[in-house]
Amino acid sequence: MIKRALWQGLLAGTAGGVVMTLGEKIEQAVTGRPDSHVPARVLQRLTGLPERPGPQPLPANWAMHYGQAALLGVLRSVMAQAGLRGPVASAKFAVVRLTNDQILENATGVGAPPQTWPRKELVVDLLHKAVYAFATGAVADALAARGGPGPGQRHAAARPGRHAHVGPLPRRHAYGA
């Protein structure tokens, strides 16, 4: 399961990153919002690369933007492999994506807590991260579904609904054997 989750997650996360970027470019064309250089600045701080004022190198921005998208896609793929699929799973994953950004941006001093942001900027960020999460989830879910239901889905199918005193599936049944 982990091998599948790794390659499928990298693919799903990269696809989600591309969809998010396309959405950002459309939004920027409509709103006039400039490009963000936060990803490059975070990467510079995390790696000790030299910092410079003004616009940041596009390769550094893309490396952080797409690298983060791909790596987090692995977590969404693990969710899908386990049987956590669909819009609810993608909504949960959106929180993870936002939390990851905030930890890195705030820990490096590049960003500030979202509650201090202008509301319009916060809404735009939430929208773009949700687009990423749902696009990544759609790809991860589709790839995981090729392998059949996950252990959680098998457990749910054994006795629909949540019941007290119902133990786990036998190990041989949890993984489709």
Side-chain angles (χ1 to χ4, degrees):
M1 179 173 95
I2 296 301
K3 285 182 188 177
R4 279 194 313 271
L6 180 60
W7 76 264
Q8 290 178 5
L10 292 172
L11 181 64
T14 300
V18 168
V19 171
M20 178 175 69
T21 302
L22 291 172
E24 288 170 337
K25 294 305 175 190
I26 292 168
E27 173 265 318
Q28 287 175 305
V30 171
T31 65
R33 185 177 63 85
D35 286 339
S36 170
H37 297 279
V38 169
R41 292 181 187 288
V42 169
L43 181 62
Q44 291 162 348
R45 295 269 174 105
L46 289 172
T47 61
L49 289 170
E51 298 180 51
R52 64 182 201 178
Q56 300 302 302
L58 189 58
N61 232 27
W62 281 0
M64 187 65 181
H65 181 75
Y66 287 109
Q68 196 174 0
L71 289 175
L72 285 172
V74 174
L75 175 61
R76 182 60 180 84
S77 182
V78 169
M79 292 171 68
Q81 293 293 331
L84 299 169
R85 299 177 187 164
V88 172
S90 291
K92 291 176 185 179
F93 180 62
V95 174
V96 172
R97 178 65 169 95
L98 289 160
T99 302
N100 179 77
D101 268 10
Q102 289 310 305
I103 290 169
L104 294 176
E105 292 171 14
N106 282 269
T108 57
V110 171
Q115 62 269 23
T116 66
W117 299 4
R119 292 298 164 237
K120 184 178 177 184
E121 190 175 326
L122 181 59
V123 168
V124 167
D125 193 56
L126 292 172
L127 175 66
H128 292 310
K129 297 310 186 307
V131 166
Y132 163 80
F134 282 85
T136 300
V139 175
D141 290 348
L143 292 171
R146 295 175 5 179
Q153 292 166 314
R154 287 187 184 91
H155 186 249
R159 185 152 183 209
R162 188 165 177 119
H163 303 281
H165 310 297
V166 173
L169 289 176
R171 190 175 295 197
R172 67 184 182 280
H173 296 299
Y175 300 103

